[in-house]
Structure formats: C-alpha cells, structure tokens
Amino acid sequence: MAAAPFAGAAVNLLSAAPAHAATVDASQYSITSRSYNSHGEFAALAAGLAVKLPKVDASAVIADANRSAKVLTGAPSTAEAFQAGFAWDTADQEVAYWIPQGVTTSADAFGNGLYPAGGSDKVILVSWYFETNTDDDAELEYPLDKGMRLTFVDYNNPAAPTYRHVLLVEPVRTGTGEYSFNPVRKHAGGIMWYGNLLYVVDTYKGLRIFDLNTLFTVDPAEKDICGLHTDGKYYGYGYQYVLSQSHAYDNAGTYLRYSTIGLDRASSPDSLVISEYSLDGVVSYNDPGHTFSGTVPPGETTPHVVRWPLDYTDRHPGSPTATEAVTVAQKKIQGVVSRNTKHYLSVSVGETTKGALRTFTSGGSTATTVADLAIGCEDLSFHSSGASGWAYTESVIWNVSEYVNKRYVYAVRADGS
C-alpha cells in the first residue's frame, strides 16, 4: 500500500509487540449482491461489447504471454522460508506509476491447483494500481489515472515464467447509447481467484467481480485512450486485452475497509476473508474525499478480519451475512489468508525494512511472527500441499512486494521452516 507513509519509530512493532485479538458479532457485517451499474445489467453490457469485439477466455490470454520474468533462485530481499518465485522484467521493475498489490493463483481457483477445470495450466495472477502522484508532492506526475491492471503469469515452467498484462474495466454505455468501458480507478489491494471468478477488493465499497471467461481483444495502438474512441475503435491504454466487471457485492452492514482478501479452502464450506489496513492499529473511516458503503460504526476501531461463506456451485458468496469476525490489534496489515480459525497476516514497515508473516487464532490473545517477508510485502495467497495437480511438499503462502526494483512474487513455507 504505497500511499501509506513510513513511521521509522515503529520498526520493532512487527515482532516485539503482541497483537491482541477478540471475537466480535459477525452479524453486523453484511454485503448485498448487485448485477448492474448505472448503465444497465453487467451481463447485457458484456453482450453488447461481444457484438463489437472478439471475446476470449483466460486460457487464451495465458497462452499469449508476451513478457519474460526472471526466476528467483533464493529468497528475495529479507524473506525467509523461501520456496519459489520470480521477479518482473526490467521495465516492470522500474515503472513508477504501476504498483503491484494483489496475488492469487490457480491453487485458489481450483482445488487441484490447475486451470481451467480439467485443464493443466499453473497460473499466478497479480493486480496493480496506477499511481498518478509518485513522489507525494502536490503535483501529479502522471495525471491520467489508468486504473487497475491484472497480470496473467504462465508458471508451467517455473524456471522461465512468462506473463501478460490486461486492463481491468467496467462496462458502460456512451451518451449516444454505444457500448463501451471505463477504467476502474481503485487500489486493487487484494484479489482472490475462485473458479472462473476474480474477486477484487474495492476499499470503500465492497467487492468487484470479474468473469475470466469474458475478456475482450482491443486495439493496442493508443496508450492514452480507454473504451470506444471517435475513430470507432476500442482501446485499452495500449493493452491487447481488457477484462470487464461482471458483478459486485456492496458493503451493507457496519463499515468495513476492504483492504485485502483471501480464500480459505480448509473451512467448510469454502470461505473468503477480508482484512483491514490501518496506519497505526486504529482503522479510520473518515478518509477525505471517500465515502464508505454501509452503516457508520460507533467510532474508530481495531482492524477486523471478517469471513463470508462461499457457494462452490456458482462461486459466489453463499450468504450475505458474515459468519465470523475478529479484531486484531495489528497495524499495517497488507494481506490475509485463513485456515479455519488460524489467520495469517502480512505486515509491512515501509521502503527500507523487511515485512513479516504473522499468525493468530480466532479467540487467541496474541499474534506471532512466522517468518520475515520482503520489503514492501503486500497481498497473500495460500497454496495447500494437498493441491494434487500443482503442489509443493509443504503448504506455502504466496506474497507480492511493491517497491521499484524490489518487486518479487514468491512463496514461503507456511510453517516458516
């Protein structure tokens, strides 16, 4: 979460300070399903675009990778318990305005770790957000906010991963009724892949859903145009493919900061968990220029981890009401994954200091450090050793790091060994 300032005095809080946890009433947290935006039903808008544009699925994009990653032979930065990973190419290591945030893998998508259902691909997805102000002064270095992009990483050969970026968009209609799309200008702080659906957190509103069976091929010639242009062509800021939003879940209960998301395949049924970022261990719901969906809480609160059940038959939430909510007095939570009542957190400390993988148990009193993570650690994704098609001898947790020239996607052993 690059926009968060670094407080040097807090360095030792990663491992030295206990993070107290408590169970709270889960029924106060709820979401409401939404199949439309102000331009119409998502399905109808996608159908309209499909008349104008070639439609492809995720497998086609994976097979069309156009960049090469660099395999990691050892732990990046200060990380421990290293299992596997890679670094981006030079251009993506150095670009200032695209910042990696979320990570999920085909071990989230399907239980055997392979994509699609019945397929054989090993895939990693990473989300990025566009930063218009790269040095936090008053001037915008890159005033055209291009929103969020998603990277499909072909990991079938871990020694030579390849990848391709696509633009995340929301389908719309123009003032004259033509089908088009707009960039999604959000933080992309966490993602979760479940079946053919990609969940992306919307910090102030809830969850955005994207159907990986429905991507569109667009003209890559124009790098500063998105959607239907006056020349009759469709562009996606220079990308070959765009992935269009297909559904949404808006927060409907007590305010919740949707900072990051994780899938829990150990629970029954499968479930998703949301965690909240805070700068100092107290979550503020008074961000200037932003409005939260839902109901105002009584005051500023300790960060929460909140769980919703999932329905594996349609890959959507199985209930609008949360089934578990706990607080954890931990600042700078950047990622969460859970295994039943055991929760893992990634915790960051700025641009020069290692992060940490921490864990606590629902109803337990404190969190403990499992292993050091790379500088600038972000989202997490659990990869079970039980994933028969793509498994490691031990369960691992994937992480992504965000800072320029320190950008890695890597897995650490979940027990810290």
Side-chain angles (χ1 to χ4, degrees):
M1 200 163 288
F6 167 53
V11 170
N12 293 329
L13 291 182
L14 279 179
S15 56
H20 296 283
T23 301
V24 298
D25 177 18
S27 67
Q28 66 183 298
Y29 296 102
S30 63
I31 51 178
T32 184
S33 176
R34 178 166 54 86
S35 62
Y36 58 88
N37 61 17
S38 60
H39 299 268
E41 291 284 329
F42 287 121
L45 296 170
L49 285 171
V51 173
K52 302 286 187 178
L53 295 167
K55 188 174 80 167
V56 299
D57 60 16
S59 294
V61 175
I62 295 161
D64 195 26
N66 63 343
R67 299 189 181 210
S68 296
K70 301 174 183 178
V71 66
L72 293 175
T73 57
S77 181
T78 56
E80 298 178 315
F82 175 77
Q83 179 67 47
F86 62 89
W88 306 106
D89 70 11
T90 300
D92 287 322
Q93 279 287 359
E94 296 179 351
V95 63
Y97 44 80
W98 281 115
I99 301 176
Q101 293 287 288
V103 64
T104 185
T105 78
S106 50
D108 282 337
F110 294 101
N112 68 355
L114 302 177
Y115 185 83
S120 59
D121 281 334
K122 303 170 184 177
V123 187
I124 300 169
L125 302 182
V126 174
S127 64
W128 309 59
Y129 77 95
F130 194 92
E131 178 58 72
T132 56
N133 187 348
T134 56
D135 59 9
D136 291 330
D137 61 11
E139 181 182 357
L140 299 182
E141 286 75 32
Y142 305 96
L144 177 59
D145 186 347
K146 297 183 179 181
M148 304 188 298
R149 72 181 184 185
L150 182 72
T151 306
F152 289 82
V153 182
D154 180 344
Y155 206 64
N156 288 302
N157 180 3
T162 56
Y163 64 97
R164 177 181 280 276
H165 304 305
V166 308
L167 190 71
L168 294 178
V169 299
E170 182 170 359
V172 299
R173 299 189 81 160
T174 67
T176 58
E178 296 286 342
Y179 292 98
S180 187
F181 48 80
N182 291 332
V184 182
R185 293 181 171 122
K186 300 294 178 179
H187 191 71
I191 57 176
M192 183 192 84
W193 191 0
Y194 193 51
N196 285 311
L197 300 184
L198 177 73
Y199 286 66
V200 181
V201 291
D202 184 331
T203 308
Y204 304 101
K205 194 170 183 65
L207 300 168
R208 292 175 182 254
I209 311 298
F210 298 79
D211 186 345
L212 294 181
N213 283 325
T214 308
L215 293 101
F216 296 105
T217 304
V218 296
D219 192 318
E222 297 289 346
K223 297 186 180 302
D224 293 330
I225 298 173
C226 181
L228 178 61
H229 192 43
T230 54
D231 62 4
K233 296 180 180 181
Y234 288 83
Y235 301 100
Y237 290 140
Y239 295 105
Q240 182 76 62
Y241 302 101
V242 298
L243 174 58
S244 180
Q245 184 175 341
S246 61
H247 205 86
Y249 286 91
D250 299 332
N251 194 65
T254 298
Y255 280 178
L256 184 67
R257 181 179 284 270
Y258 287 75
S259 300
T260 189
I261 186 172
L263 174 67
D264 186 353
R265 282 190 170 276
S267 64
S268 183
D270 295 343
S271 57
L272 67 85
V273 290
I274 299 294
S275 67
E276 297 184 289
Y277 176 86
S278 67
L279 185 60
D280 57 5
V282 177
V283 180
S284 172
Y285 302 104
N286 297 306
D287 294 22
H290 297 284
T291 302
F292 281 86
S293 295
T295 306
V296 180
E300 293 183 334
T301 63
T302 303
H304 293 82
V305 174
V306 182
R307 180 192 305 271
W308 275 269
L310 290 166
D311 183 345
Y312 77 93
T313 63
D314 64 7
R315 303 294 178 169
H316 284 263
S319 168
T321 305
T323 55
E324 182 185 19
V326 296
T327 63
V328 55
Q330 176 66 65
K331 63 197 238 177
K332 297 186 178 179
I333 298 171
Q334 303 282 15
V336 63
V337 287
S338 299
R339 301 289 286 174
N340 285 313
T341 58
K342 186 173 185 178
H343 310 285
Y344 295 88
L345 308 171
S346 57
V347 181
S348 67
V349 197
E351 296 187 43
T352 59
T353 306
K354 63 188 177 183
L357 178 67
R358 308 201 77 194
T359 187
F360 73 98
T361 303
S362 298
S365 58
T366 60
T368 58
T369 297
V370 177
D372 293 336
L373 295 178
I375 294 169
C377 63
E378 286 291 326
D379 198 21
L380 299 175
S381 178
F382 196 93
H383 188 141
S384 172
S385 61
S388 57
W390 175 22
Y392 297 104
T393 56
E394 301 178 47
S395 293
V396 300
I397 296 176
W398 288 89
N399 180 239
V400 58
S401 54
E402 68 173 346
Y403 293 117
V404 169
N405 289 321
K406 300 175 184 176
R407 291 174 173 165
Y408 311 104
V409 181
Y410 63 100
V412 299
R413 291 179 287 277
D415 64 0
S417 63

